[in-house]
């Protein structure tokens, strides 16, 4: 049996040497070249079982070679490796039909695994859809850290597969940006992108927002209204902050995903749902499931392809690039162009970034607007970071246990007592503090039961009449559920 032959093209001699040795040791035959023309000749001559090619070579771009290779030898797998490790390289490689994309520097074990997979994989399908327009100019996502490379590779793979995605990451890590990139580089890019934020809509309106309502479906529904599912028809529906979706809406969404159709609130006619779902949350949904706040079956429906966005503190090496990007953006908006000196950049890299990329973006904008010098020094950065920091009692260092109810109450009581330090004039602290706790407790329990006082009383373990009296005394507004 002849051993599989791997054709390697890279203008960097050391990479050719390393690959030839590693592949040779694993039992492959290897031919290597430093230019695209030789690689092309070998392919034309019917040589090789697999191609590994660099992108930038002296005579031709490796990515441009892929469609030509696919035309004459559709079964020949191509693995692309590149030091230009941006989202666009990954997407282009996938869309032109590369089997896999490896950002440099890569791990040899990983490369060998990819080679084995490529040679074992069944015959490739037809090439993907046409490429996105003006691909090179707009780079929606900045960062070259390994964690971001992983994100790019997933986005690239998904550009030819229309799967449901769940994006998880802290606030400000770029979840919405990734959702848009998935749409813009995906199969449905010519369809609409519709976003809905579960945390921003009153819970009793969520179902009507999602699925629409008929005229007269509830008080105030004076006209038929289209829901987001219908608006997103043929495109992508982005369910932001999915972890905040109320239970009834979760049940309804699950049914729609299972059945592929939905009915509007108050409507009877089922409507086909032709949407791709991308969901995002900053919450740990597995934890929410354990607490009974999120349906496990819905989670598995949505978590087909998980994407985890790293916190900015986990990819400090991206900070200089991001900072420059945001300073340039500020310049494009008419502010003076600033740059950072090395100490300033170091300071940024050491910061904890609880607000992630959004926090960095805001900081760069403030510096562009306020800093008198063109070259921003470490002192200006330190001053801005200190100004923007939340009060120290609330700043959560990484690894700090989350605020418990007791510590939050304790903090407030301390502040309260400190404020009444001047001779202790207050005489009803006990009742006032208890009311502070009781009011949100009752209000939120009522909201969770959609205003059903009987249910709320039983959840709270209170007598119905006691609850009614408290609602009156605490002046809690009573709203009945709509649907
Ligand atoms: N990799 C990135 N490159 C460039 N800009 C980024 C990147 N990640 C995030 N941003 C910018 O940071 C800001 C926050 O991003 P985005 O709104 O997508 O975050 P998010 O994860 O949805 O946050 P939240 O959970 O608070 O809604 C946006 O202005 C976005 O453009
Ligand atoms: Mg968001």
């Amino acid at each position: 049996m002849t051993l599989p032959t791997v054709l390697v093209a890279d203008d960097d001699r050391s990479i050719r040497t390393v690959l030839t040795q590693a592949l040779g040791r694993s039992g492959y035959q290897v031919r290597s070249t430093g230019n695209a023309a030789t690689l092309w000749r070998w392919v034309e001559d019917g040589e090789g079982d697999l191609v590994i090619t660099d992108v930038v070579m002296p005579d031709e771009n490796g990515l441009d070679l892929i469609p030509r290779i696919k035309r004459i030898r559709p079964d020949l797998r191509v693995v692309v490796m590149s030091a230009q490790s941006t989202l666009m390289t990954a997407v282009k490689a996938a869309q032109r039909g590369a089997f896999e994309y490896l950002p440099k520097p890569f791990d040899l074990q990983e490369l060998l695994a990819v080679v084995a997979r490529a040679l074992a994989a069944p015959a490739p399908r037809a090439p993907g859809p046409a490429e996105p327009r003006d691909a090179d100019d707009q780079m929606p996502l900045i960062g070259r850290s390994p964690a971001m490379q992983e994100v790019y590779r997933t986005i690239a793979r998904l550009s030819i597969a229309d799967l449901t995605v769940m994006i998880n990451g802290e606030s400000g890590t770029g979840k919405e940006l990734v959702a848009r990139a998935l749409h813009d580089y995906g199969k449905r890019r010519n369809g609409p992108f519709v976003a809905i934020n579960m945390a921003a809509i009153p819970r009793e309106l969520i179902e009507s927002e999602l699925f629409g309502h008929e005229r007269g479906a509830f008080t105030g529904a004076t006209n038929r209204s289209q829901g987001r599912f219908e608006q997103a028809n043929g495109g992508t529906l982005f369910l932001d902050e999915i972890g905040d979706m109320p239970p009834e809406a979760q049940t309804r969404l699950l049914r729609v995903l299972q059945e592929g159709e939905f009915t509007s609130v108050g409507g009877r006619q089922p409507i086909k749902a032709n949407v791709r779902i991308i969901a995002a949350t900053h919450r740990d949904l597995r934890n929410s499931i354990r607490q009974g706040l999120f349906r496990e079956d819905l989670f598995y429906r949505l978590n087909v392809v998980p994407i985890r966005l790293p916190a900015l503190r986990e990819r400090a090496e991206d900070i200089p690039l991001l900072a420059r990007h945001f300073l340039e953006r500020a310049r494009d908006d008419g502010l003076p162009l600033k740059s950072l000196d090395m100490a300033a950049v170091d300071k940024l890299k050491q910061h904890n970034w609880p607000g992630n990329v959004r926090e960095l973006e805001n900081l760069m904008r403030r510096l562009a607007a306020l800093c008198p010098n063109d070259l921003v020094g470490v002192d200006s950065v330190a001053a801005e970071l200190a100004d923007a920091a939340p009060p120290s009692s609330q700043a959560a260092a990484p690894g700090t246990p989350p605020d418990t109810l007791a510590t939050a109450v304790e903090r407030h009581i301390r502040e309260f007592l400190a404020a009444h330090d001047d001779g202790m004039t207050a005489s009803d602290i006990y009742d006032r503090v208890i009311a502070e706790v009781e009011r949100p407790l009752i209000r939120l329990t009522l909201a969770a039961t959609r205003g059903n006082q009987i249910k709320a009383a039983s959840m709270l373990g209170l007598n119905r009449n006691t609850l009614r009296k408290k609602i009156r005394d605490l002046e809690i507004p009573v709203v009945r559920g709509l649907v």
Side-chain angles (χ1 to χ4, degrees):
M1 198 186 93
T2 52
L3 296 167
T5 303
V6 181
L7 307 178
V8 174
D10 195 307
D11 56 349
D12 184 336
R13 180 190 299 274
S14 53
I15 291 205
R16 291 202 300 275
T17 310
V18 170
L19 287 189
T20 305
Q21 282 175 357
L23 290 165
R25 268 201 301 275
S26 300
Y28 302 106
Q29 306 215 45
V30 185
R31 299 194 72 179
S32 72
T33 168
N35 60 70
T38 311
L39 173 64
W40 177 242
R41 208 182 60 236
W42 289 339
V43 171
E44 272 188 313
D45 292 347
E47 288 187 44
D49 303 291
L50 175 72
V51 170
I52 303 179
T53 179
D54 188 19
V55 172
V56 182
M57 288 181 285
D59 52 341
E60 195 174 352
N61 183 308
L63 290 176
D64 296 338
L65 218 52
I66 305 176
R68 285 165 54 199
I69 295 176
K70 291 277 144 191
R71 224 169 294 133
I72 61 166
R73 293 183 59 191
D75 290 346
L76 185 62
R77 308 286 143 82
V78 181
V79 173
V80 174
M81 48 186 180
S82 175
Q84 279 200 321
S85 31
T86 66
L87 172 60
M88 279 321 306
T89 326
V91 168
K92 272 191 184 171
Q95 296 198 331
R96 293 185 182 183
F99 177 79
E100 184 58 283
Y101 161 79
L102 285 171
K104 286 183 193 170
F106 47 77
D107 178 58
L108 272 180
Q109 290 309 321
E110 192 184 357
L111 176 95
L112 290 173
V114 167
V115 167
R117 259 196 295 129
L119 287 166
R125 290 161 298 161
E131 279 175 51
R133 291 136 283 146
D134 49 28
D136 274 328
D137 315 331
Q138 296 292 321
M139 199 69 76
L141 286 155
I142 308 287
R144 296 182 174 197
S145 55
M148 287 308 288
Q149 300 291 352
E150 198 49 49
V151 173
Y152 300 159
R153 283 166 73 176
T154 309
I155 297 178
R157 283 196 200 107
L158 288 171
S159 70
I160 49 176
D162 207 18
L163 298 174
T164 304
V165 180
M166 171 77 84
I167 308 169
N168 199 245
E170 288 179 16
S171 181
T173 45
K175 296 186 290 295
E176 179 150 8
L177 214 55
V178 166
R180 281 192 177 272
L182 283 165
H183 174 78
D184 289 346
Y185 300 114
K187 285 181 156 180
R188 291 170 173 260
R189 61 177 158 275
N190 293 322
F193 176 88
V194 175
I196 174 170
N197 185 330
M198 301 303 151
I201 296 176
R203 48 195 293 132
E204 57 276 9
L205 293 181
I206 283 185
E207 288 179 51
S208 120
E209 280 291 319
L210 276 174
F211 307 112
H213 61 251
E214 299 304 313
R215 187 177 163 177
F218 48 85
T219 330
T222 48
N223 283 308
R224 177 178 193 276
S225 141
Q226 232 187 21
R228 305 292 166 94
F229 256 91
E230 213 169 333
Q231 289 167 1
N233 187 39
T236 304
L237 180 61
F238 176 44
L239 302 175
D240 202 358
E241 301 301 355
I242 187 89
D244 295 32
M245 194 178 217
E248 311 79 33
Q250 288 180 32
T251 305
R252 195 154 178 162
L253 174 63
L254 177 69
R255 210 168 335 125
V256 173
L257 298 181
Q258 284 166 342
E259 289 164 13
E261 54 183 36
F262 62 93
T263 46
S264 64
V265 175
R268 261 183 229 118
Q269 201 68 299
I271 306 169
K272 277 258 162 298
N274 170 21
V275 298
R276 178 205 200 173
I277 304 280
I278 300 178
T281 179
H282 68 281
R283 292 185 195 283
D284 175 358
L285 283 186
R286 291 177 199 276
N287 203 11
S288 307
I289 292 170
R290 276 194 296 277
Q291 295 178 330
L293 299 172
F294 202 82
R295 289 188 68 125
E296 187 168 18
D297 41 11
L298 178 59
F299 174 75
Y300 286 112
R301 278 267 162 188
L302 295 173
N303 202 45
V304 179
V305 181
I307 295 184
R308 181 186 167 273
L309 285 185
L312 189 54
R313 78 188 78 86
E314 293 169 35
R315 52 180 187 113
E317 68 259 52
D318 286 340
I319 288 175
L321 220 57
L322 279 161
R324 179 151 19 102
H325 168 75
F326 291 130
L327 288 173
E328 281 166 7
R329 272 253 292 270
R331 189 250 340 255
D332 296 342
D333 292 345
L335 293 165
L337 179 64
K338 309 269 155 148
S339 53
L340 301 160
D341 73 15
M342 267 175 37
V345 172
D346 281 344
K347 179 86 194 164
L348 293 178
K349 284 169 112 175
Q350 285 153 21
H351 184 59
N352 186 45
W353 301 111
N356 292 294
V357 183
R358 180 178 297 114
E359 186 186 355
L360 177 64
E361 181 175 8
N362 293 341
L363 177 69
M364 290 304 115
R365 187 161 273 279
R366 281 203 308 280
L367 287 172
L370 303 175
C371 184
N373 313 321
D374 286 347
L375 187 65
V376 179
V378 64
D379 294 342
S380 312
V381 168
E384 284 297 333
L385 282 174
D387 272 359
S392 60
S393 63
Q394 289 175 19
T400 322
D403 225 9
T404 63
L405 184 58
T407 55
V409 170
E410 187 178 320
R411 193 174 64 235
H412 285 287
I413 294 174
R414 276 184 207 285
E415 283 166 11
F416 186 86
L417 291 176
H420 290 81
D421 213 8
D422 48 353
M424 289 289 169
T425 42
S427 59
D428 56 352
I429 292 188
Y430 185 87
D431 285 340
R432 280 162 64 178
V433 170
I434 297 298
E436 282 301 299
V437 179
E438 263 189 325
R439 196 174 285 117
L441 175 63
I442 293 176
R443 195 168 47 77
L444 293 176
T445 311
L446 278 171
T449 62
R450 311 192 126 205
N452 184 328
Q453 296 185 14
I454 300 176
K455 257 200 215 158
S458 103
M459 276 173 73
L460 289 162
L462 284 179
N463 179 292
R464 260 164 69 188
N465 292 325
T466 313
L467 176 64
R468 217 165 271 142
K469 178 167 180 327
K470 285 189 184 295
I471 291 172
R472 246 193 340 265
D473 292 351
L474 297 165
E475 294 173 356
I476 293 170
V478 179
V479 187
R480 297 280 322 175
L482 292 174
V483 275

